[in-house]
Amino acid sequence: ELINTYYTLMFEAVSSQGGIVSLMVGDGLMALFGAPKPIENSAQSAVAAAQDMLIMTADLNEERSHAGDPELKIGFGIATGEVVAGYTGTDERATYTCIGKTVNLAARLEAHTKVVNRSILIDEETLNGLADQSACTSIPAAQFKGFSEAKRVFAL
Protein backbone atom coordinates (compact mmCIF):
# COMPACT_ATOMS: atom_id res chain seq x y z
CA GLU A 1 0.00 0.00 0.00
CA LEU A 2 2.79 2.44 0.91
CA ILE A 3 4.75 1.95 -2.31
CA ASN A 4 1.59 2.30 -4.40
CA THR A 5 0.64 5.53 -2.61
CA TYR A 6 4.20 6.84 -2.99
CA TYR A 7 4.35 6.03 -6.71
CA THR A 8 0.93 7.60 -7.31
CA LEU A 9 2.17 10.87 -5.81
CA MET A 10 5.49 10.78 -7.66
CA PHE A 11 3.85 10.03 -11.03
CA GLU A 12 1.43 12.90 -10.47
CA ALA A 13 4.26 15.34 -9.78
CA VAL A 14 6.25 14.23 -12.83
CA SER A 15 3.33 14.28 -15.27
CA SER A 16 2.04 17.64 -14.00
CA GLN A 17 5.36 19.15 -15.08
CA GLY A 18 5.37 17.53 -18.52
CA GLY A 19 7.64 14.60 -17.71
CA ILE A 20 7.26 10.84 -17.97
CA VAL A 21 8.39 8.09 -15.63
CA SER A 22 10.44 5.66 -17.68
CA LEU A 23 11.79 3.36 -15.00
CA MET A 24 10.88 2.16 -11.52
CA VAL A 25 13.39 0.20 -9.46
CA GLY A 26 12.46 -0.63 -5.88
CA ASP A 27 11.36 2.66 -4.37
CA GLY A 28 13.24 4.77 -6.94
CA LEU A 29 12.30 6.04 -10.35
CA MET A 30 13.78 7.72 -13.39
CA ALA A 31 11.80 10.54 -14.92
CA LEU A 32 12.46 12.15 -18.28
CA PHE A 33 11.68 15.74 -19.22
CA GLY A 34 11.90 16.68 -22.89
CA ALA A 35 11.81 13.13 -24.25
CA PRO A 36 10.04 11.66 -26.09
CA LYS A 37 8.25 14.99 -26.59
CA PRO A 38 10.26 18.20 -26.37
CA ILE A 39 9.20 20.67 -23.70
CA GLU A 40 10.16 24.32 -23.50
CA ASN A 41 12.41 24.19 -20.44
CA SER A 42 13.18 20.66 -19.34
CA ALA A 43 15.54 21.76 -16.55
CA GLN A 44 12.91 24.02 -14.98
CA SER A 45 10.26 21.31 -15.29
CA ALA A 46 12.47 18.67 -13.67
CA VAL A 47 13.30 20.94 -10.74
CA ALA A 48 9.64 21.91 -10.28
CA ALA A 49 8.65 18.23 -10.26
CA ALA A 50 11.28 17.45 -7.61
CA GLN A 51 10.05 20.33 -5.48
CA ASP A 52 6.46 19.10 -5.88
CA MET A 53 7.54 15.59 -4.86
CA LEU A 54 9.19 16.97 -1.71
CA ILE A 55 5.97 18.77 -0.76
CA MET A 56 3.87 15.66 -1.45
CA THR A 57 6.23 13.52 0.61
CA ALA A 58 6.09 16.00 3.49
CA ASP A 59 2.29 15.80 3.44
CA LEU A 60 2.45 11.99 3.33
CA ASN A 61 4.94 12.01 6.22
CA GLU A 62 2.56 14.11 8.29
CA GLU A 63 -0.15 11.48 7.78
CA ARG A 64 2.34 8.71 8.58
CA SER A 65 3.48 10.40 11.80
CA HIS A 66 -0.14 10.56 13.03
CA ALA A 67 -0.34 6.81 12.47
CA GLY A 68 2.98 6.26 14.27
CA ASP A 69 4.76 5.21 11.09
CA PRO A 70 8.35 6.23 10.24
CA GLU A 71 9.11 9.14 7.92
CA LEU A 72 10.03 8.68 4.28
CA LYS A 73 13.16 10.48 3.11
CA ILE A 74 13.78 11.07 -0.59
CA GLY A 75 16.51 12.62 -2.71
CA PHE A 76 16.76 13.83 -6.30
CA GLY A 77 19.61 14.06 -8.75
CA ILE A 78 18.89 16.19 -11.79
CA ALA A 79 21.21 16.44 -14.80
CA THR A 80 20.55 18.13 -18.12
CA GLY A 81 22.12 17.14 -21.42
CA GLU A 82 22.09 14.81 -24.36
CA VAL A 83 20.89 11.23 -24.01
CA VAL A 84 20.18 8.33 -26.32
CA ALA A 85 16.46 7.71 -25.95
CA GLY A 86 14.06 5.22 -27.46
CA TYR A 87 12.20 1.99 -27.04
CA THR A 88 14.14 -1.05 -25.94
CA GLY A 89 13.19 -4.60 -25.10
CA THR A 90 11.60 -7.49 -26.91
CA ASP A 91 8.44 -8.15 -28.89
CA GLU A 92 6.77 -9.22 -25.63
CA ARG A 93 7.88 -6.28 -23.53
CA ALA A 94 9.32 -2.93 -24.55
CA THR A 95 9.85 0.27 -22.63
CA TYR A 96 10.88 3.82 -23.43
CA THR A 97 14.15 4.69 -21.73
CA CYS A 98 17.34 6.65 -22.13
CA ILE A 99 21.03 6.05 -21.55
CA GLY A 100 24.19 8.11 -21.54
CA LYS A 101 26.46 10.23 -19.37
CA THR A 102 23.61 12.58 -18.42
CA VAL A 103 21.61 9.66 -17.02
CA ASN A 104 24.67 8.40 -15.14
CA LEU A 105 25.34 11.85 -13.69
CA ALA A 106 21.76 12.18 -12.47
CA ALA A 107 22.06 8.80 -10.71
CA ARG A 108 25.37 9.83 -9.11
CA LEU A 109 23.84 13.14 -7.96
CA GLU A 110 20.89 11.30 -6.38
CA ALA A 111 23.27 9.03 -4.46
CA HIS A 112 25.30 12.10 -3.41
CA THR A 113 22.22 13.62 -1.71
CA LYS A 114 22.80 11.17 1.15
CA VAL A 115 26.47 12.21 1.46
CA VAL A 116 25.78 15.96 1.64
CA ASN A 117 22.39 15.65 3.38
CA ARG A 118 20.54 17.73 0.77
CA SER A 119 17.29 16.73 -0.94
CA ILE A 120 17.84 18.08 -4.46
CA LEU A 121 21.18 18.20 -6.26
CA ILE A 122 21.60 19.51 -9.80
CA ASP A 123 24.43 19.81 -12.27
CA GLU A 124 25.72 23.04 -13.81
CA GLU A 125 23.76 22.62 -17.05
CA THR A 126 20.51 22.29 -15.09
CA LEU A 127 21.43 25.40 -13.08
CA ASN A 128 21.95 27.31 -16.32
CA GLY A 129 18.42 26.35 -17.43
CA LEU A 130 16.72 27.83 -14.36
CA ALA A 131 15.06 31.23 -14.63
CA ASP A 132 15.62 31.89 -10.92
CA GLN A 133 18.88 30.58 -9.50
CA SER A 134 18.54 32.36 -6.14
CA ALA A 135 17.51 29.18 -4.30
CA CYS A 136 20.61 27.33 -5.53
CA THR A 137 23.76 26.94 -3.47
CA SER A 138 27.09 25.78 -4.83
CA ILE A 139 28.50 22.88 -2.84
CA PRO A 140 31.98 21.37 -3.24
CA ALA A 141 32.64 19.79 -6.61
CA ALA A 142 32.47 16.00 -6.54
CA GLN A 143 34.35 13.29 -8.36
CA PHE A 144 31.83 10.71 -9.54
CA LYS A 145 32.48 7.20 -10.81
CA GLY A 146 32.56 7.16 -14.60
CA PHE A 147 33.66 10.79 -14.97
CA SER A 148 37.27 11.85 -15.45
CA GLU A 149 36.77 15.35 -14.00
CA ALA A 150 35.07 16.54 -10.84
CA LYS A 151 31.59 17.94 -11.45
CA ARG A 152 30.25 21.20 -10.08
CA VAL A 153 27.22 20.47 -7.90
CA PHE A 154 24.44 22.74 -6.73
CA ALA A 155 21.82 22.17 -4.04
CA LEU A 156 18.33 23.63 -3.97
Side-chain angles (χ1 to χ4, degrees), residues 91-132:
D91 289 341
E92 289 81 34
R93 180 175 173 156
T95 187
Y96 188 85
T97 193
C98 64
I99 58 172
K101 286 196 174 264
T102 302
V103 176
N104 293 341
L105 180 56
R108 304 290 187 248
L109 289 168
E110 185 277 327
H112 200 57
T113 62
K114 297 165 187 73
V115 174
V116 296
N117 198 31
R118 300 298 289 265
S119 296
I120 303 173
L121 295 181
I122 63 174
D123 70 339
E124 190 169 12
E125 193 161 341
T126 301
L127 176 77
N128 293 335
L130 301 181
D132 179 10

Side-chain angles (χ1 to χ4, degrees), residues 18-22 31-39 83 85-87 95-98:
I20 64 162
V21 173
S22 70
L32 308 175
F33 295 84
K37 293 182 182 179
I39 56 178
V83 298
Y87 286 93
T95 187
Y96 188 85
T97 193
C98 64

Side-chain angles (χ1 to χ4, degrees), residues 49-84:
Q51 291 170 323
D52 290 348
M53 287 186 246
L54 282 176
I55 292 167
M56 291 174 167
T57 302
D59 292 344
L60 180 59
N61 279 336
E62 189 173 324
E63 291 175 21
R64 290 178 56 74
S65 72
H66 291 306
D69 294 327
E71 237 183 48
L72 302 178
K73 193 166 184 184
I74 58 175
F76 304 92
I78 302 171
T80 300
E82 291 186 16
V83 298
V84 175

Side-chain angles (χ1 to χ4, degrees), residues 18-43:
I20 64 162
V21 173
S22 70
L23 179 67
M24 298 180 303
V25 178
D27 62 353
L29 58 88
M30 179 172 69
L32 308 175
F33 295 84
K37 293 182 182 179
I39 56 178
E40 191 170 321
N41 187 332
S42 59

